[in-house]
């Protein structure tokens, strides 16, 4: 099966091509164009993002066509594709619409099947991409499920129980800010620019993570929900109080490391507890914050220590933040189950949530 995928849910215009043959990836290419323009606003501006997608996505698709069929030719690309996959939600409605309309026109013109993909399911599917930890289970998913998934992105922080693609149960989610937002807001308070997660993590690398004891909200509560707004407020008051030291590089490193540690501690504690409670065979980490080195190392160690029977899967760094390769993989899994959409009636679903229904695992 040959899948062409489009992703435009936020500020990345991305396209990918994936061919799966006999349960193995036979061919694969992906391109991502990140919209640099938002950095100067300190966050993503929806109208600007949609406009940028309209001008950039055609170029990304042309680049992908060149890679796959050797020329910037839509008709030739169409002949090389069986299914069009596109992010339908969640995300910014105006951004989603650009990718969705483009995918719908391609599917209609090429007379190919189309499948709307959930962006979060895409992040999860990244662990099956080439060189990813679950790639070898692409054929039948043997030994993987039930899996416990920690989703940590700019807009989502949630724990999901996964019985297979399309089969999720939501165990808990953030009641306010997402983990990525906590990173981004702390970074903003320290004038580190946007997106802030990678900047905090670079600064934290040589800091003392025990220097400042920031709160770990809900860490020991029995439920699987999260809350990061109290941490954000604590960081804000702390930095206001210590504003004279904000130019001191040691203070900055220690503050960044302490914030990062507080976020990581909460995520790790809840994830391993959920993995143990659900007897998960695999612990999967997904979303932009999964690129965080401290989180990856801490979670790997905690899984080995606390749920040693579970396998820990983390996607390659290149597929943690938004891309279309992950949408192609999730689209492949949908198509394999025969779940397609009708291009005529597809609309963006900006609040599409995984796992609200009942699930037997
Ligand atoms: O999944 P993603 O690319 O976009 C959404 O779907 O939201 O996630 C973006 C988020 C941002 O909040 C960004 O600061 C965070 O992921 N992020 C990181 C790192 N890389 C990206 N957070 C912490 N450490 C990182 N290395
Ligand atoms: Zn994302």
């Amino acid at each position: 099966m040959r899948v062409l995928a489009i992703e435009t849910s936020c500020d990345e215009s991305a396209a990918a091509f994936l061919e799966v043959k006999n349960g193995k990836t036979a061919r694969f290419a992906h391109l991502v164009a990140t919209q640099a323009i938002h950095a100067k606003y300190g966050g993503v501006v929806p109208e600007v993002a949609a406009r940028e997608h309209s001008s950039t996505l055609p170029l990304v698709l042309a680049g992908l066509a060149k890679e796959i069929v050797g020329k910037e030719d839509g008709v030739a690309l169409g002949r090389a594709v069986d299914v069009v996959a596109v992010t339908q939600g969640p995300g910014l409605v105006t951004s989603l619409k650009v990718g969705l309309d483009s995918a719908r026109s391609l599917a209609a013109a090429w007379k190919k099947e189309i499948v709307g993909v959930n962006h979060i399911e895409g992040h999860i599917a990244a662990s099956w991409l080439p060189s990813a930890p679950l790639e070898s289970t692409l054929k039948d998913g043997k030994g993987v499920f039930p899996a416990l998934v920690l989703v940590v992105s700019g807009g989502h922080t949630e724990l999901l129980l996964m019985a297979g693609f399309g089969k999720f149960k939501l165990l808990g989610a953030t009641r306010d800010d997402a983990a990525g937002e906590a990173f981004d807001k702390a970074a903003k308070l320290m004038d580190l620019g946007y997106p802030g997660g990678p900047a905090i993590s670079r600064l934290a690398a040589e800091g003392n993570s025990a220097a400042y004891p920031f709160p770990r909200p809900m860490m020991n509560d029995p439920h699987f929900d999260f809350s990061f707004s109290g941490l954000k407020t604590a960081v804000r008051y702390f930095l206001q109080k210590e504003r004279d030291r904000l130019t001191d590089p040691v203070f900055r490193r220690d503050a960044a490391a302490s914030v990062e540690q507080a976020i990581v501690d909460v995520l790790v504690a809840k994830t391993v507890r959920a993995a143990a409670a659900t007897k998960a065979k695999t612990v999967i980490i997904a979303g932009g914050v999964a690129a965080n080195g401290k989180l990856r190392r801490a979670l790997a160690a905690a899984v080995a220590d606390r749920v040693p029977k579970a396998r820990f899967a983390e996607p390659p760094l290149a597929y943690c933040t938004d891309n279309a390769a992950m949408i192609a993989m999730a689209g492949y899994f949908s198509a394999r189950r025969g779940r397609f959409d009708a291009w005529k009636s597809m609309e963006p679903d900006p609040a599409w949530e995984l796992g609200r229904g009942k699930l037997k695992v």
Side-chain angles (χ1 to χ4, degrees), residues 13 16-17 41 99 128 141 154 165 203 213 221 224 278 287 316 357:
S13 310
F17 177 89
Y41 303 113
W128 277 264
F165 280 88
L203 191 59
D221 293 2
F224 296 122
T278 53

Side-chain angles (χ1 to χ4, degrees), residues 37-247:
I37 189 166
H38 303 286
K40 70 175 178 205
Y41 303 113
V44 178
V45 183
E47 299 74 29
V48 176
R51 211 170 52 227
E52 292 275 310
H53 283 308
S54 304
S55 55
T56 310
L57 185 60
L59 304 177
V60 173
L61 283 165
L64 190 71
K66 186 122 206 246
E67 236 173 271
I68 298 303
V69 292
K71 51 190 168 181
E72 293 182 5
D73 178 340
V75 176
L77 182 63
R79 278 198 293 267
V81 166
D82 303 306
V83 178
V84 178
V86 59
T87 306
Q88 196 168 2
L92 301 170
V93 66
T94 45
S95 287
L96 288 165
K97 195 159 169 30
V98 178
L100 190 58
D101 285 347
S102 162
R104 291 168 67 202
S105 355
L106 290 177
W110 294 342
K111 299 191 170 50
K112 301 293 161 129
E113 298 278 15
I114 185 166
V115 53
V117 171
N118 179 292
H119 178 82
I120 300 299
E121 189 166 34
H123 275 300
I124 296 167
S127 279
W128 277 264
L129 284 166
S131 308
L134 300 177
E135 186 192 3
S136 63
T137 70
L138 187 55
K139 193 164 196 157
D140 49 18
K142 247 193 170 149
V144 174
F145 305 112
L148 189 280
V149 187
L150 170 67
V151 177
V152 268
S153 71
H156 287 75
T157 297
E158 53 199 33
L159 285 166
L160 292 161
L161 186 60
M162 179 180 188
F165 280 88
K167 293 185 203 155
F168 296 93
K169 181 176 180 204
L170 185 66
L171 302 179
T174 184
R175 295 184 185 173
D176 39 60
D177 293 347
E181 262 174 297
F183 272 106
D184 292 340
K185 287 178 177 169
K188 208 167 179 175
L189 291 167
M190 295 181 74
D191 284 325
L192 285 169
Y194 177 87
I200 288 273
S201 150
R202 270 195 303 276
L203 191 59
E206 280 159 30
N208 171 9
S209 60
Y212 307 109
F214 291 119
R216 270 93 169 135
M218 297 185 179
M219 186 163 78
N220 298 315
D221 293 2
H223 57 74
F224 296 122
D225 281 353
F226 299 88
S227 166
F228 288 105
S229 70
L231 171 61
K232 173 187 69 188
T233 310
V235 171
R236 192 171 61 233
Y237 285 141
F238 171 76
L239 292 177
Q240 266 164 11
K241 191 159 70 73
E242 304 287 341
R243 61 181 166 273
D244 296 344
R245 299 169 70 196
L246 265 172
T247 47

Side-chain angles (χ1 to χ4, degrees), residues 5-7 85-87 117-119 122 323-332:
I6 292 176
E7 152 68 40
V86 59
T87 306
V117 171
N118 179 292
H119 178 82
N323 64 82
M326 66 188 202
I327 303 303
M329 187 53 86
Y332 162 74

